[in-house]
Coordinates of all heavy atoms in Angstrom, one line a residue:
G1 N 17.0 8.5 -1.9 CA 17.3 7.2 -2.3 C 16.2 6.2 -2.0 O 15.0 6.4 -2.5
Y2 N 16.5 5.1 -1.3 CA 15.6 4.0 -1.1 C 14.6 4.4 0.0 O 14.9 4.3 1.2 CB 16.4 2.8 -0.7 CG 15.6 1.5 -0.5 CD1 14.9 1.0 -1.6 CD2 15.7 0.8 0.7 CE1 14.2 -0.2 -1.4 CE2 15.0 -0.4 0.9 CZ 14.2 -0.9 -0.2 OH 13.5 -2.0 0.0
R3 N 13.4 4.9 -0.4 CA 12.4 5.3 0.6 C 11.0 5.2 -0.1 O 10.9 5.1 -1.3 CB 12.7 6.7 1.1 CG 12.5 7.8 0.0 CD 12.6 9.2 0.6 NE 11.5 9.5 1.5 CZ 11.2 10.7 2.0 NH1 12.0 11.7 1.8 NH2 10.2 10.9 2.8
A4 N 10.0 5.3 0.7 CA 8.6 5.4 0.3 C 8.3 4.4 -0.8 O 8.3 3.2 -0.5 CB 8.4 6.8 -0.2
I5 N 7.9 4.8 -2.0 CA 7.3 3.9 -3.0 C 8.4 2.9 -3.4 O 8.0 1.7 -3.7 CB 6.8 4.7 -4.2 CG1 5.9 3.8 -5.1 CG2 8.0 5.3 -5.0 CD1 4.6 3.4 -4.5
R6 N 9.7 3.2 -3.4 CA 10.7 2.3 -3.8 C 10.9 1.1 -2.8 O 11.2 0.0 -3.1 CB 12.0 3.0 -4.0 CG 12.0 3.8 -5.3 CD 13.1 4.8 -5.5 NE 13.1 5.9 -4.6 CZ 12.2 6.9 -4.8 NH1 11.3 6.9 -5.8 NH2 12.2 8.0 -4.0
I7 N 10.6 1.4 -1.5 CA 10.6 0.4 -0.5 C 9.4 -0.5 -0.7 O 9.5 -1.7 -0.7 CB 10.6 1.0 0.9 CG1 11.9 1.7 1.2 CG2 10.3 -0.1 2.0 CD1 11.9 2.4 2.6
C8 N 8.2 0.1 -1.0 CA 7.0 -0.7 -1.2 C 7.1 -1.6 -2.4 O 6.6 -2.7 -2.3 CB 5.8 0.3 -1.3 SG 5.4 1.2 0.2
L9 N 7.7 -1.1 -3.5 CA 7.8 -1.9 -4.7 C 8.8 -3.0 -4.6 O 8.8 -4.0 -5.4 CB 8.1 -1.0 -5.9 CG 7.0 -0.1 -6.3 CD1 7.5 0.9 -7.4 CD2 5.8 -0.8 -6.7
T10 N 9.7 -3.0 -3.6 CA 10.7 -4.1 -3.4 C 10.2 -5.0 -2.3 O 10.7 -6.1 -2.2 CB 12.1 -3.5 -3.1 OG1 12.0 -2.7 -2.0 CG2 12.7 -2.8 -4.3
R11 N 9.3 -4.5 -1.4 CA 8.8 -5.3 -0.4 C 7.2 -5.4 -0.6 O 6.4 -4.9 0.1 CB 9.1 -4.7 1.0 CG 10.6 -4.6 1.3 CD 10.9 -4.3 2.7 NE 12.3 -4.1 3.0 CZ 12.8 -4.0 4.2 NH1 12.0 -4.0 5.3 NH2 14.1 -3.9 4.3
K12 N 6.9 -6.1 -1.6 CA 5.5 -6.1 -2.2 C 4.5 -6.7 -1.2 O 3.3 -6.2 -1.2 CB 5.5 -6.8 -3.5 CG 6.2 -6.1 -4.6 CD 6.1 -6.8 -6.0 CE 6.9 -6.0 -7.0 NZ 6.8 -6.7 -8.3
E13 N 4.9 -7.6 -0.4 CA 3.9 -8.2 0.5 C 3.4 -7.2 1.6 O 2.2 -7.1 1.9 CB 4.5 -9.4 1.3 CG 4.5 -10.7 0.4 CD 3.1 -11.0 -0.2 OE1 2.1 -11.0 0.5 OE2 3.0 -11.2 -1.5
I14 N 4.3 -6.4 2.0 CA 4.0 -5.3 3.0 C 3.1 -4.3 2.2 O 2.0 -3.8 2.8 CB 5.3 -4.5 3.5 CG1 6.1 -5.5 4.3 CG2 4.9 -3.3 4.3 CD1 7.5 -4.9 4.6
F15 N 3.4 -3.9 1.0 CA 2.7 -3.0 0.2 C 1.3 -3.5 -0.1 O 0.2 -2.8 0.1 CB 3.4 -2.7 -1.1 CG 2.9 -1.5 -1.8 CD1 2.3 -0.4 -1.2 CD2 3.0 -1.4 -3.2 CE1 1.9 0.7 -1.9 CE2 2.6 -0.3 -3.9 CZ 2.0 0.7 -3.3
K16 N 1.2 -4.8 -0.5 CA -0.1 -5.4 -0.8 C -1.0 -5.5 0.4 O -2.2 -5.2 0.3 CB 0.1 -6.8 -1.4 CG 0.7 -6.9 -2.8 CD 0.8 -8.4 -3.2 CE 1.3 -8.5 -4.6 NZ 1.5 -10.0 -4.9
Q17 N -0.4 -5.7 1.5 CA -1.2 -5.8 2.8 C -1.9 -4.4 3.0 O -3.0 -4.3 3.4 CB -0.3 -6.2 3.9 CG -1.0 -6.5 5.2 CD 0.0 -6.9 6.3 OE1 0.8 -6.1 6.8 NE2 -0.1 -8.2 6.7
Q18 N -1.1 -3.4 2.9 CA -1.6 -2.0 3.1 C -2.7 -1.7 2.1 O -3.8 -1.2 2.4 CB -0.5 -1.0 3.1 CG -1.1 0.5 3.3 CD 0.0 1.5 3.3 OE1 0.9 1.4 2.7 NE2 -0.3 2.6 4.1
L19 N -2.4 -2.0 0.8 CA -3.4 -1.7 -0.3 C -4.7 -2.5 0.0 O -5.8 -1.9 -0.3 CB -2.8 -2.1 -1.6 CG -1.6 -1.2 -2.1 CD1 -1.1 -1.7 -3.4 CD2 -2.1 0.3 -2.3
R20 N -4.6 -3.7 0.4 CA -5.9 -4.5 0.7 C -6.7 -3.8 1.8 O -7.9 -3.7 1.7 CB -5.5 -5.9 1.1 CG -5.1 -6.8 -0.1 CD -5.1 -8.3 0.3 NE -4.2 -8.6 1.4 CZ -3.0 -9.0 1.2 NH1 -2.5 -9.2 -0.1 NH2 -2.2 -9.3 2.2
A21 N -6.0 -3.4 2.8 CA -6.7 -2.7 4.0 C -7.4 -1.4 3.5 O -8.5 -1.1 3.9 CB -5.6 -2.4 5.1
I22 N -6.7 -0.7 2.6 CA -7.3 0.6 2.1 C -8.5 0.3 1.2 O -9.5 0.9 1.3 CB -6.2 1.4 1.3 CG1 -5.1 1.9 2.2 CG2 -6.9 2.6 0.6 CD1 -3.9 2.5 1.5
L23 N -8.4 -0.7 0.3 CA -9.5 -1.1 -0.6 C -10.7 -1.6 0.2 O -11.8 -1.3 -0.1 CB -9.0 -2.2 -1.6 CG -8.0 -1.7 -2.6 CD1 -7.5 -2.9 -3.4 CD2 -8.6 -0.7 -3.6
R24 N -10.4 -2.4 1.3 CA -11.5 -2.8 2.1 C -12.3 -1.6 2.8 O -13.5 -1.6 2.9 CB -11.0 -3.8 3.2 CG -10.6 -5.2 2.6 CD -9.9 -6.0 3.7 NE -10.8 -6.2 4.9 CZ -10.3 -6.7 6.1 NH1 -9.0 -7.0 6.2 NH2 -11.1 -6.9 7.1
A25 N -11.5 -0.7 3.3 CA -12.0 0.5 3.9 C -12.8 1.4 3.0 O -13.7 2.1 3.4 CB -10.9 1.3 4.6
S26 N -12.4 1.3 1.7 CA -13.1 2.2 0.7 C -14.6 1.9 0.5 O -15.4 2.7 0.0 CB -12.4 2.1 -0.7 OG -12.7 0.8 -1.2
A27 N -15.0 0.7 1.1 CA -16.5 0.4 1.0 C -17.2 1.2 2.0 O -18.5 1.2 2.0 CB -16.7 -1.1 1.3
Y28 N -16.5 1.9 2.9 CA -17.2 2.7 4.0 C -17.1 4.2 3.8 O -17.5 4.9 4.7 CB -16.6 2.2 5.4 CG -16.8 0.8 5.7 CD1 -15.9 -0.2 5.2 CD2 -17.9 0.3 6.4 CE1 -16.1 -1.5 5.5 CE2 -18.1 -1.0 6.6 CZ -17.2 -1.9 6.2 OH -17.4 -3.3 6.4
G29 N -16.6 4.6 2.7 CA -16.5 6.1 2.5 C -15.9 6.4 1.1 O -15.8 5.5 0.3
T30 N -15.5 7.6 0.9 CA -14.9 8.0 -0.3 C -13.4 8.1 -0.1 O -12.9 9.0 0.5 CB -15.4 9.4 -0.8 OG1 -16.8 9.4 -0.8 CG2 -14.8 9.8 -2.1
V31 N -12.7 7.0 -0.6 CA -11.3 6.9 -0.3 C -10.5 6.9 -1.6 O -10.9 6.4 -2.6 CB -11.0 5.5 0.4 CG1 -9.5 5.3 0.6 CG2 -11.7 5.5 1.8
A32 N -9.4 7.7 -1.6 CA -8.4 7.8 -2.7 C -7.1 7.4 -2.2 O -6.8 7.4 -1.0 CB -8.4 9.1 -3.3
V33 N -6.2 7.0 -3.1 CA -4.8 6.6 -2.7 C -3.8 7.5 -3.4 O -3.9 7.9 -4.5 CB -4.5 5.1 -3.3 CG1 -3.1 4.7 -3.0 CG2 -5.5 4.1 -2.6
M34 N -2.8 7.9 -2.6 CA -1.7 8.7 -3.1 C -0.4 7.9 -2.9 O -0.1 7.3 -1.8 CB -1.6 10.0 -2.2 CG -0.4 10.8 -2.6 SD 0.0 12.2 -1.5 CE -1.5 13.2 -1.7

């Protein structure tokens, strides 16, 4: 049910915060997102 990506897509601020952190870190190595 309501888990993982479905939680992230309904609580977008939490999701955006994590994505911004990952994108910033990608400048320091080879980073991919799943």
Side-chain angles (χ1 to χ4, degrees):
Y2 184 58
R3 67 173 293 188
I5 195 67
R6 285 169 287 289
I7 293 175
C8 292
L9 290 175
T10 54
R11 300 192 181 187
K12 292 183 180 178
E13 281 310 309
I14 297 171
F15 194 30
K16 285 180 180 178
Q17 189 179 66
Q18 182 178 31
L19 292 175
R20 283 196 298 267
I22 294 172
L23 290 172
R24 287 170 62 191
S26 68
Y28 298 87
T30 307
V31 176
V33 177
M34 177 192 294

